[in-house]
């Protein structure tokens, strides 16, 4: 009863009513660091744990291991205020924590596409001996439906005496705008079946709830599944518009006009309707694969999402062929300038980026690749052998036969196309992100190809 029955008005049993929420965040990666920085910005105290001692040392010295706008500012401020600390040893902080978040990686398991939960379960084993007093263990990592229950089962086995509850709190932030997304969420989703844990989670997110962010409490299974369903839906939108882009090319329509027209319909929405070289990144490919796996095991296959995955795989291969066609059907002996290697701008993350498929294919076809990315060279260098790395877009274009825009970094939008053309030997420009106007590119002397128009 939302108006408050006698039952709901009764104060919920709460052993501790901490004025501050004391958090241990296990995993100082993208999600762990951003969440830790934002929770400390709320005023909570956070100890961020990572098993990589060099990362912890770097953070303690005030360094920031990833490129994410505003993250350095938040970390530095809260480090100065003493609200955030870093450690490679979880023992001291778990005992004093109200809330232990698991923000470790859940990569794709080799062979079967399932989410690899070994980091999650290892962290559970490590934290179990140190639990003291009522503690909420909460997954921020993206984990398959049923994982909270499994964590609970394992903890009951490891610490039958411990007083704890397991919650699911999937994270929806986007790399590149992670701080903004965390502070202005469309919703905060908490899977929880324990009153004391719900009290604590409400307290934790009160600063956002006070700013009218919806904090939704659902079952743990629903929270876990909702995260995968959200990513699969977004991946589907991308594969959808990529196929529509192909049809636009065949039929003489312009995909941007089509996307704007359908996106104006609020039932559809205008986000994620940008055609390109296929989705990538650290989440969509692995989460789509894991959801497919979960669904098959539950004997409730998601044929639509299986097709989304196929379309995306074919998309990356088709883009290499598109570049070859634009180059006159032959890439052997040609020099290709690749602008951008991350899966999207404003991040240095190259995990599962389309460039990791595209560039080796260009090399296999005999091209030499000169690449420039504003932030990802360090992460990409090892993954892309044989690439000549350059310090700017213009340097990459030097004597190139073909230039290819793979990531829509703003600095590429601002390039003077006449200058770019002037640096090149050839005149082929393949714009896989539609960042230039065809008329403008042609006026600069380019033989210009884009996507779906
Ligand atoms: P990441 O690889 O950047 O970071 C994971 C960190 O956990 C690493 O630094 C690793 O050293 C550390 N770690 C692993 N095991 C540990 C242990 N036992 N103790 C201490 N530290 C340990 O991963 P990420 O991108 O932050 O993703 C984390 C989770 O969040 C994944 O499940 C991912 O799917 C999910 N997620 C990611 C994003 C994103 O944009 N990156 C968005 C939403 C959800």
């Amino acid at each position: 009863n939302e108006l408050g029955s006698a039952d709901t008005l009764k104060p919920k049993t709460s052993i501790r009513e901490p004025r501050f929420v004391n958090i241990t965040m296990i995993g100082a990666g993208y999600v762990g660091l951003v969440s830790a920085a934002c929770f400390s910005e709320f005023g909570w105290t956070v100890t961020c744990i990572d098993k990589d001692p060099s990362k912890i040392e770097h953070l303690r010295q005030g360094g920031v291991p990833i490129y994410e706008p505003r993250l350095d500012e938040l970390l530095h401020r809260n480090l100065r205020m003493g609200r955030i600390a870093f450690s490679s040893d979880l023992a001291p902080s778990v005992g004093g924590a109200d809330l232990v978040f698991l923000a470790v990686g859940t990569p794709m398991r080799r062979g079967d596409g399932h989410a690899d939960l070994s980091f999650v379960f290892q962290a559970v084993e490590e934290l179990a001996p140190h639990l003291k007093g009522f503690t909420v263990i909460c997954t921020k990592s993206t984990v398959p439906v049923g994982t909270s229950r499994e964590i609970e089962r394992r903890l009951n086995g490891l610490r039958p005496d411990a007083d704890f509850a397991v919650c699911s709190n999937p994270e929806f932030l986007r790399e590149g705008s992670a701080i903004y997304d965390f502070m202005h969420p469309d919703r905060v989703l908490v899977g929880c079946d324990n009153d004391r844990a719900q009290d604590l989670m409400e307290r934790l997110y009160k600063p956002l709830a006070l700013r009218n962010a919806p904090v939704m409490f659902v079952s743990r299974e629903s929270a876990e599944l909702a995260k995968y369903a959200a990513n699969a839906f977004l991946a589907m939108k991308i594969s959808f518009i990529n196929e529509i882009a192909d049809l636009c090319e065949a039929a003489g329509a312009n995909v941007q006009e089509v996307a704007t027209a359908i996106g104006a319909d609020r039932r559809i929405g205008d986000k994620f309707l940008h055609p390109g070289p296929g989705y990538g990144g650290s989440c969509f490919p692995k989460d789509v694969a894991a959801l497919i796996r979960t669904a098959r095991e539950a004997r409730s296959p998601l044929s639509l999402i299986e097709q989304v995955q196929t379309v995306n795989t074919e998309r990356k291969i088709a883009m290499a062929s598109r570049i070859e066609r634009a180059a006159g059907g032959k890439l052997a002996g040609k020099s290709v300038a690749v602008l951008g290697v991350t899966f999207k701008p404003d991040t240095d993350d190259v995990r599962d980026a389309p460039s990791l498929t595209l560039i080796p294919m260009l090399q296999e076809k005999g091209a030499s690749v000169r690449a420039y990315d504003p932030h990802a060279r360090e992460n990409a260098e090892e993954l892309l052998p044989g690439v000549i790395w350059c310090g700017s877009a213009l340097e990459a274009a030097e004597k190139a036969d073909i230039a290819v825009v793979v990531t829509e970094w703003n600095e590429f939008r601002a390039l003077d196309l006449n200058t770019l053309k002037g640096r090149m030997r050839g005149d082929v420009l393949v714009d896989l992100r539609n960042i230039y106007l065809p008329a403008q590119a042609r006026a600069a002397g380019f033989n210009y190809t884009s996507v779906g128009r």
Side-chain angles (χ1 to χ4, degrees):
N1 181 339
E2 282 178 26
L3 297 174
S5 66
D7 201 36
T8 52
L9 289 174
K10 212 168 53 189
K12 287 176 188 151
T13 44
S14 189
I15 281 189
R16 292 190 231 168
E17 281 282 322
R19 213 158 57 83
F20 295 109
V21 183
N22 204 347
I23 300 167
T24 298
M25 181 70 64
I26 304 184
Y30 248 100
V31 165
L33 260 188
V34 169
S35 307
C38 292
F39 284 139
S40 63
E41 186 74 6
F42 292 176
W44 311 139
T45 49
V46 188
T47 307
C48 209
I49 310 288
D50 204 283
K51 64 176 183 183
D52 177 350
S54 62
K55 193 180 266 190
I56 291 299
E57 196 42 45
H58 187 53
L59 283 160
R60 278 184 170 159
Q61 305 291 334
V64 182
I66 54 173
Y67 173 74
E68 181 61 42
R70 288 196 55 216
L71 180 58
D72 51 351
E73 169 200 329
L74 252 68
L75 284 176
H76 292 156
R77 180 165 54 242
N78 288 290
L79 205 54
R80 264 200 320 275
M81 309 273 289
R83 291 195 292 232
I84 192 164
F86 301 100
S87 174
S88 44
D89 179 13
L90 53 70
S93 65
V94 167
D98 305 297
L99 194 50
V100 180
F101 273 108
L102 302 174
V104 299
T106 49
M108 200 189 299
R109 194 160 71 188
R110 270 183 196 282
D112 64 4
H114 224 301
D116 178 353
L117 293 178
S118 56
F119 297 107
V120 172
F121 294 143
Q122 192 193 342
V124 167
E125 287 201 6
E126 287 164 1
L127 70 88
H130 309 290
L131 291 174
K132 207 157 51 181
F134 179 65
T135 315
V136 174
I137 322 299
C138 190
T139 50
K140 257 225 176 286
S141 302
T142 302
V143 292
V145 59
T147 304
S148 296
R149 207 172 279 277
E150 176 59 17
I151 292 173
E152 189 172 272
R153 194 188 66 77
R154 289 180 185 226
L155 279 175
N156 276 325
L158 291 161
R159 281 291 306 277
D161 60 309
D163 187 13
F164 68 89
V166 180
C167 289
S168 162
N169 176 213
E171 185 46 61
F172 293 94
L173 61 79
R174 296 165 298 174
E175 290 182 11
S177 52
I179 303 286
Y180 180 87
D181 289 349
F182 197 98
M183 294 299 198
H184 305 85
D186 291 335
R187 75 321 210 169
V188 172
L189 187 62
V190 183
C192 181
D193 64 358
N194 175 293
D195 282 351
R196 285 190 291 172
Q198 180 159 342
D199 276 353
L200 187 64
M201 296 305 283
E202 274 169 3
R203 184 193 308 273
L204 174 77
Y205 281 113
K206 200 163 178 189
L208 294 183
L210 287 172
R211 294 204 314 225
N212 294 328
V215 181
M216 300 176 181
F217 285 89
V218 298
S219 76
R220 297 183 297 183
E221 286 74 14
S222 298
E224 289 165 341
L225 191 54
K227 171 64 192 177
Y228 282 98
N231 275 358
F233 192 88
L234 294 172
M236 182 175 72
K237 270 187 117 174
I238 295 174
S239 284
F240 173 82
I241 203 66
N242 281 338
E243 287 207 311
I244 292 291
D246 284 348
L247 179 56
C248 284
E249 287 171 17
N254 179 330
V255 71
Q256 278 176 301
E257 291 173 355
V258 173
T260 306
I262 64 174
D265 185 328
R266 272 172 294 160
R267 293 169 302 175
I268 297 173
D270 58 0
K271 303 287 189 296
F272 279 76
L273 288 179
H274 304 287
Y279 62 77
S282 68
C283 291
F284 286 5
K286 79 168 175 70
D287 291 348
V288 165
L291 182 62
I292 289 171
R293 191 75 206 171
T294 298
R296 283 196 191 170
E297 282 176 8
R299 293 176 195 274
S300 182
L302 296 169
S303 58
L304 189 58
I305 301 306
E306 295 197 19
Q307 193 55 25
V308 165
Q309 190 184 45
T310 306
V311 168
N312 198 59
T313 304
E314 287 168 358
R315 183 78 188 164
K316 294 184 244 177
I317 299 164
M319 290 303 105
S321 307
R322 174 176 300 233
I323 294 165
E324 188 175 33
R325 267 201 315 278
K330 202 169 137 273
L331 278 170
K334 297 203 172 139
S335 167
V336 181
V338 169
L339 307 187
V341 296
T342 51
F343 72 103
K344 66 163 161 181
D346 290 330
T347 178
D348 61 356
D349 197 343
V350 292
R351 288 178 283 183
D352 261 317
S355 64
L356 301 187
T357 307
L358 197 57
I359 290 175
M361 287 188 74
L362 301 177
Q363 290 168 321
E364 263 168 44
K365 290 172 189 286
S368 67
V369 173
R370 301 166 61 80
Y372 165 68
D373 189 283
H375 286 279
R377 175 177 175 171
E378 206 181 312
N379 288 340
E381 237 169 345
E382 214 177 299
L383 300 169
L384 289 169
V387 167
I388 302 156
W389 290 95
C390 303
S392 69
L394 291 181
E395 191 190 326
E398 200 67 51
K399 297 199 172 59
D401 299 291
I402 304 136
V404 184
V405 178
V406 177
T407 316
E408 65 277 35
W409 285 95
N410 269 339
E411 68 172 77
F412 302 152
R413 292 181 203 275
L415 273 179
D416 177 51
L417 291 182
N418 290 304
T419 311
L420 184 73
K421 170 77 178 52
R423 294 292 182 98
M424 291 173 57
R425 183 165 62 199
D427 64 354
V428 177
L429 175 58
V430 183
D431 177 2
L432 296 180
R433 300 289 186 174
N434 290 355
I435 63 173
Y436 303 121
L437 295 171
Q440 188 190 26
R442 284 179 195 126
F446 276 114
N447 173 358
Y448 177 75
T449 311
S450 57
V451 179
R453 45 182 202 171

